């Protein structure tokens, strides 16, 4: 086959929801928090055998407690690739005085950000921006989140839960600007977030509909990757894939992670453990 088709444009690793804490398992939910240290180390060993541009963890690095970061972040020191992070709801399960320090603890440049590799723009969203847990009571965003959640509950929305969140209007305008520039520059865009937006699910962003409407309005938008729903999920709308990766914290001894390869005409997801492998055509 032609080299341009078979040589990946870029390749990266995916980890979703390690949700580490040094606590007993919740067997009813099938979550084994302390086991994530060994699972993450195993994933990193696999990543280190591949040529990757980066590895990104799709939120919920910890389950709770500020000191949990001190236990799990050193595991990434064994990774020979660049480690990137985004924010999940459990990453804010810390005492109030640490809420504003979470992005810096993860080495993030901002709560949401973007970067480019080989004419692909990766857009990293913060779905906790307006939520009931990421800011202390009395913060304007906390009050706004309470209002948004109440409105969704009144409307009977399936995702009207306190463990979800939404983009601020400021972040939404930023996203629109990033998409405008990517479209103008001829880049392809992959969006990464902790929260799903499609298919409809109890775990989705509160403002999933406006996010979908915005993204699918751009030809450059090629897909959306997320975690949060530990069962995983997949759907397509407007010909674009929306992939939810399975949670590492689930099960006592089965791991789950992935390596994603982007080619000229497709995205290949190589799933390990419980994660599904997929081949997703581009430009469908």
């Amino acid at each position: 086959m032609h080299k341009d088709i078979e040589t990946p444009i870029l390749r990266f690793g995916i980890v979703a929801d390690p949700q580490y804490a040094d606590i007993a398992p919740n067997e009813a939910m099938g979550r084994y928090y302390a086991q994530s240290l060994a699972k993450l180390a195993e994933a990193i060993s696999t990543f280190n055998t591949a040529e990757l541009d980066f590895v990104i963890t799709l939120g919920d690095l910890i389950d709770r407690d500020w000191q949990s970061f001190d236990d799990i972040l050193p595991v990434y020191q064994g990774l020979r690739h660049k480690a990137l992070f985004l924010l999940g709801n459990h990453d804010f399960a810390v005492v109030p005085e640490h809420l504003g320090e979470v992005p810096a603890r993860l080495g993030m440049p901002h709560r949401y950000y973007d970067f480019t590799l080989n004419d692909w723009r990766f857009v990293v969203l913060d779905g906790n921006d307006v939520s009931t847990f990421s800011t202390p009571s009395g913060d304007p965003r906390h009050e706004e989140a309470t209002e948004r959640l109440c409105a969704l509950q009144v409307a009977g929305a399936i995702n009207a839960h306190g463990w979800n969140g939404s983009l601020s209007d400021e972040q939404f305008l930023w996203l629109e600007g990033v998409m405008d520039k990517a479209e103008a520059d001829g880049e392809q865009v992959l969006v990464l977030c902790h929260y799903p937006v499609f298919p409809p699910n109890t775990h989705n962003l509160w403002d999933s509909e406006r996010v979908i409407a915005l993204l699918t309005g751009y030809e450059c938008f090629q897909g959306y990757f997320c975690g949060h729903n530990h069962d995983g999920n997949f759907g397509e709308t407007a010909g674009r894939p929306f992939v939810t990766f399975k949670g590492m914290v689930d099960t006592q001894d089965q791991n789950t992670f992935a390596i994603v390869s982007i080619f000229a005409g497709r995205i290949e997801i190589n799933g390990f453990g419980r994660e599904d492998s997929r081949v997703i055509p581009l430009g469908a």
Side-chain angles (χ1 to χ4, degrees):
M1 293 187 181
H2 195 278
K3 183 179 179 182
D4 289 345
I5 296 176
E6 290 308 304
T7 301
I9 298 168
L10 53 88
R11 179 175 283 149
F12 58 96
I14 290 273
V15 172
D17 299 81
Q19 224 168 296
Y20 166 77
D22 186 15
I23 57 175
N26 184 329
E27 295 185 358
M29 297 184 71
R31 295 182 180 177
Y32 292 78
Y33 310 99
Q35 302 299 101
S36 287
L37 292 184
K39 291 180 184 178
L40 180 61
E42 179 186 17
I44 286 173
S45 293
T46 299
F47 293 148
N48 283 345
T49 67
E51 294 305 316
L52 305 178
D53 293 284
F54 60 89
V55 171
I56 188 162
T57 301
L58 299 175
D60 282 4
L61 181 62
I62 64 167
D63 179 75
R64 68 190 75 174
D65 301 330
W66 185 252
Q67 60 267 29
S68 295
F69 288 120
D70 295 334
D71 292 338
I72 194 167
L73 281 172
V75 180
Y76 287 89
Q77 293 175 6
L79 179 67
R80 72 181 184 94
H81 309 294
K82 185 174 185 178
L84 300 175
F85 297 92
L86 56 79
L87 299 168
N89 53 308
H90 280 275
D91 296 318
F92 291 97
V94 297
V95 293
E97 54 262 35
H98 287 311
L99 285 175
E101 301 171 9
V102 175
R105 187 70 185 91
L106 294 173
M108 297 171 58
H110 193 271
R111 288 181 61 133
Y112 48 91
Y113 60 98
D114 65 305
F115 61 95
T116 56
L117 279 173
N118 298 338
D119 294 324
W120 275 76
R121 184 166 296 275
F122 292 83
V123 182
V124 179
L125 301 180
D126 174 21
N128 317 276
D129 204 358
V130 177
S131 66
T132 59
F133 49 80
S134 65
T135 50
S137 180
D139 186 288
R141 282 185 298 170
H142 187 278
E143 302 309 313
E144 182 181 1
T146 301
E147 293 173 3
R148 288 187 183 186
L149 179 56
C150 287
L152 286 170
Q153 290 172 336
V154 169
I158 62 171
N159 61 334
H161 298 287
W163 63 73
N164 297 327
S166 55
L167 308 189
S168 63
D169 292 338
E170 179 184 11
Q171 184 180 174
F172 189 82
L173 287 173
W174 170 85
L175 173 60
E176 187 174 26
V178 170
M179 298 301 296
D180 284 343
K181 188 175 188 306
E183 190 97 304
D185 292 347
E187 297 172 336
Q188 304 302 304
V189 175
L190 191 65
V191 177
L192 306 166
C193 186
H194 180 60
Y195 300 90
V197 293
F198 186 85
N201 188 272
T202 57
H203 294 84
N204 287 10
L205 276 177
W206 293 338
D207 51 349
S208 57
E209 292 181 1
R210 75 167 178 167
V211 172
I212 293 169
L214 175 68
L215 294 176
T216 56
Y218 291 91
E219 290 186 8
C220 64
F221 171 62
Q222 294 293 350
Y224 185 103
F225 288 1
C226 61
H228 192 49
N229 177 3
H230 295 195
D231 292 335
N233 209 346
F234 179 82
E236 291 186 354
T237 186
R240 323 300 172 79
F242 291 77
V243 185
T244 305
F245 290 84
K246 295 179 180 178
M248 181 176 276
V249 70
D250 292 62
T251 80
Q252 184 171 9
D253 51 16
Q254 290 181 284
N255 211 341
T256 183
F257 56 95
I259 291 177
V260 178
S261 301
I262 298 181
F263 295 87
R266 69 192 187 278
I267 296 175
E268 291 188 3
I269 299 175
N270 183 14
F272 294 83
R274 296 184 298 110
E275 188 55 65
D276 297 321
S277 294
R278 307 178 189 274
V279 178
I280 303 169
L282 291 176

